[in-house]
């Protein structure tokens, strides 16, 4: 227990120091508006990737419609803050709930499908949402939705990223999360053991959609302007690439993938003509030499703290006979 508390304290200290260091750098001007923009984008990509990893990496449901939930969250937040004058916190929560409801709506009929059929169904849903946004004048239609209040900042982005990672990690380590992992490993065996596979697949889909809606809200209230084409098929592919690049079934992988791909994309902007070619070659190389992604299924762990040597009575209390 002391060792676990020590690790948790170290993690909390690292998070607090990271937040304060970045905030001070922004306040003092060491991080300009362009660098801040990229940091916010990285946070949004982490939220999207971790949410999709729950669906695809941990539950084994191949989804190509994650951008649709981001779109729903973005437009919901834009309407609430720009047209209805609601606080940003309310917009965040409602955006997540709206996206989750959409996830349940599409999940119930489609998650009985598997593999390529599920991917095509979710891709179709993505296009339906985009076309609806494209033809709805109330939210700007093809012209886009502008004059959205800028509420998103480093504090909001960091807080939402941290909450997303912690909640999804705790979910995966729970009974329900283990049920989702069992479905991925062998759905027939999981169902034979009494797991309601449809329920847990829809649950994972709804949770992933909820956080995609949160990411959409952060996006809308940072860039002032959104348009339907920003949430098309290619956006879903971008999110999926981050997840695969980092490692399916690894939360740490999603974080590392989002950070590295964002940095690579940023560095290649100076060679815009070759940017996508080099970007594709880097991804190709990773998939050839490391097909499981950078992290595989592994999670980052802090360096082990020195273990306290337990007495025989303490070892019996822990139910272990091995030496410490």
């Amino acid at each position: 227990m002391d060792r676990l508390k020590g690790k948790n304290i170290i993690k909390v200290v690292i998070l607090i120091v990271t937040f304060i260091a970045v905030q001070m750098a922004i306040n003092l001007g060491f991080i300009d508006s362009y660098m801040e923009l990229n940091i916010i984008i990285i946070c949004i990509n982490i939220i999207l990737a971790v949410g999709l990893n729950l669906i695809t990496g941990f539950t084994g449901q191949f989804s190509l419609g994650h951008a649709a939930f981001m779109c729903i969250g973005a437009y919901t937040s834009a309407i609430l803050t720009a047209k209805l004058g609601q606080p940003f916190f309310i917009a965040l929560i409602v955006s997540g709930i709206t996206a989750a409801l959409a996830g349940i709506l599409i999940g119930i009929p489609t998650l009985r499908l598997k593999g390529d059929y599920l991917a095509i169904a979710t891709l179709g849903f993505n296009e339906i949402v985009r076309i609806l946004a494209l033809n709805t004048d109330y939210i700007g239609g093809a012209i886009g939705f502008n004059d959205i209040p800028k509420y998103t900042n480093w504090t909001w982005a960091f807080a939402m990223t941290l909450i997303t990672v912690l909640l999804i990690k705790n979910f995966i380590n729970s009974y329900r999360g283990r049920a989702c992992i069992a479905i991925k490993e062998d759905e027939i065996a999981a169902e034979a053991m009494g797991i309601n596979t449809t329920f847990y697949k829809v649950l994972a889909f709804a949770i992933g959609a909820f956080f995609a809606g949160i990411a959409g809200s952060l996006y809308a209230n940072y860039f002032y302007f959104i348009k339907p084409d920003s949430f098309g098929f290619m956006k879903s592919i971008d999110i999926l690439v981050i997840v695969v690049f980092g490692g399916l079934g690894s939360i740490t992988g999603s974080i590392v993938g989002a950070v590295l791909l964002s940095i690579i994309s940023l560095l290649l902007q100076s060679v815009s003509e070759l940017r996508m070619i080099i970007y594709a070659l880097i991804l190709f190389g990773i998939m050839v030499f490391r097909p499981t992604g950078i992290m595989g299924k592994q999670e980052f762990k802090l360096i082990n703290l020195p273990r306290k040597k337990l007495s025989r009575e303490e070892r019996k209390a822990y139910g272990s006979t091995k030496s410490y």
Side-chain angles (χ1 to χ4, degrees):
M1 289 298 291
D2 291 339
R3 181 169 172 269
L4 183 60
K5 287 180 180 179
K7 280 192 173 184
N8 289 335
I9 291 172
I10 293 174
K11 290 176 183 178
V12 171
V13 170
I14 291 173
L15 290 171
I16 292 173
V17 170
T18 300
F19 171 75
I20 294 175
V22 174
Q23 188 63 58
M24 288 181 64
I26 292 172
N27 294 339
L28 296 174
F30 293 112
I31 294 179
D32 58 20
S33 58
Y34 180 69
M35 291 179 64
E36 183 181 359
L37 179 147
N38 283 281
I39 291 172
I40 299 297
I41 290 176
I42 288 173
C43 290
I44 291 172
N45 285 338
I46 290 173
I47 294 171
L48 290 167
V50 171
L52 181 59
N53 210 347
L54 173 62
I55 298 169
T56 303
F58 289 99
T59 314
Q61 308 305 304
F62 188 32
S63 172
L64 286 177
H66 210 58
F69 305 119
M70 182 184 181
C71 179
I72 291 170
Y75 275 101
T76 300
S77 184
I79 292 170
L80 288 172
T81 55
K83 291 183 177 291
L84 303 181
Q86 296 299 311
F88 182 49
F89 176 74
I90 299 297
L92 270 173
I93 300 300
V94 175
S95 296
I97 293 173
T98 305
L101 291 174
I104 295 171
L105 182 65
I106 188 63
I108 290 174
T110 61
L111 287 181
R112 297 178 185 275
L113 304 174
K114 298 178 182 179
D116 298 339
Y117 301 103
L118 176 61
I120 292 170
T122 53
L123 174 60
F125 174 70
N126 197 152
E127 285 302 296
I128 288 171
V129 171
R130 188 182 69 84
I131 296 301
L132 286 174
L134 201 64
N135 291 278
T136 305
D137 293 333
Y138 180 72
I139 55 176
I143 299 174
F145 197 132
N146 53 24
D147 296 329
I148 303 170
K150 184 177 179 180
Y151 292 129
T152 302
N153 53 26
W154 162 243
T155 302
W156 277 111
F158 180 83
M160 291 300 106
T161 303
L162 181 60
I163 290 171
T164 300
V165 172
L166 289 177
L167 290 182
I168 290 185
K169 179 176 176 58
N170 287 333
F171 174 80
I172 291 168
N173 291 332
S174 69
Y175 166 79
R176 290 176 172 79
R178 297 301 178 189
C180 291
I181 294 172
I183 291 170
K184 177 195 174 184
E185 296 300 329
D186 192 325
E187 186 172 342
I188 295 175
E191 195 163 6
M193 294 300 293
I195 295 174
N196 187 338
T197 56
T198 301
F199 170 79
Y200 285 108
K201 286 192 288 186
V202 173
L203 178 63
F205 215 74
I207 293 173
F210 175 85
F211 289 109
I214 295 290
S217 178
L218 293 171
Y219 180 90
N221 288 98
Y222 186 79
F223 289 99
Y224 301 106
F225 171 79
I226 54 175
K227 59 180 180 178
D229 291 342
S230 300
F231 310 101
F233 168 67
M234 289 309 300
K235 183 61 180 178
S236 290
I237 293 297
D238 286 343
I239 304 167
L240 183 61
V241 166
I242 292 172
V243 174
V244 175
F245 182 79
L248 290 168
S250 171
I251 293 177
T252 308
S254 295
I255 297 171
V256 172
V259 173
L260 288 182
L261 286 181
S262 298
I263 292 174
I264 290 170
S265 181
L266 176 63
L267 294 176
L268 293 177
Q269 286 184 358
S270 58
V271 285
S272 56
E273 311 83 20
L274 301 175
R275 175 172 169 265
M276 293 310 297
I277 296 176
I278 299 174
Y279 188 78
L281 288 174
I282 292 172
L283 293 177
F284 178 77
I286 287 291
M287 291 301 102
V288 169
F289 297 106
R290 181 72 175 176
T292 57
I294 292 175
M295 296 295 296
K297 292 185 178 181
Q298 302 301 313
E299 301 288 356
F300 173 76
K301 295 181 180 179
L302 292 173
I303 298 173
N304 288 335
L305 297 174
R307 287 183 170 186
K308 175 186 175 183
K309 190 169 183 177
L310 303 179
S311 66
R312 182 179 298 177
E313 291 75 16
E314 288 174 321
R315 289 202 299 272
K316 286 182 179 179
Y318 281 110
S320 173
T321 58
K322 64 182 181 179
S323 60
Y324 282 75

